[in-house]
């Protein structure tokens, strides 16, 4: 079951890398946001391959913040995704 999802994720990652590297019209800011998403996804994927699961270790509930436990790879994915959404929304008015 995990192998199926891993293959799907790797397929999408290869498509993202191909599009980002071979498209000269993609600006550097978009490439960096895609890089963050890719790096976080690869880090979590490597953990699944090597450990069988993703190890989440940042627990904000210990300082009184009600939030799920996460890791640095999750942070990279979320920052990259929000940056990509921000770039998309700000570019809509320029067209």
């Amino acid at each position: 079951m995990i192998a199926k999802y891993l293959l799907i994720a790797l397929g999408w990652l290869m498509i993202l890398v191909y599009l980002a590297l071979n498209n000269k019209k993609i600006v550097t800011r978009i490439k960096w946001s895609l890089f963050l998403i890719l790096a976080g996804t690869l880090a979590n994927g490597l953990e699944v391959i090597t450990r069988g699961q993703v190890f989440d270790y940042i627990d904000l509930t210990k300082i009184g913040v009600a939030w799920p436990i996460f890791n640095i790879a999750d942070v990279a994915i979320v920052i990259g995704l929000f940056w990509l959404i921000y770039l998309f929304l700000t570019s809509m008015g320029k067209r």
Side-chain angles (χ1 to χ4, degrees), residues 27 29-30 82-95:
V27 295
R29 292 176 296 188
I30 294 175
F82 279 116
W83 193 0
L84 193 61
I85 291 170
Y86 170 77
L87 292 172
F88 174 73
L89 291 176
T90 56
S91 70
M92 287 180 66
K94 295 179 183 178
R95 293 183 180 201

Side-chain angles (χ1 to χ4, degrees), residues 65-79:
V65 178
W67 198 264
I69 301 172
F70 58 95
N71 61 24
I72 297 297
D74 297 335
V75 173
I77 293 168
V78 170
I79 289 173

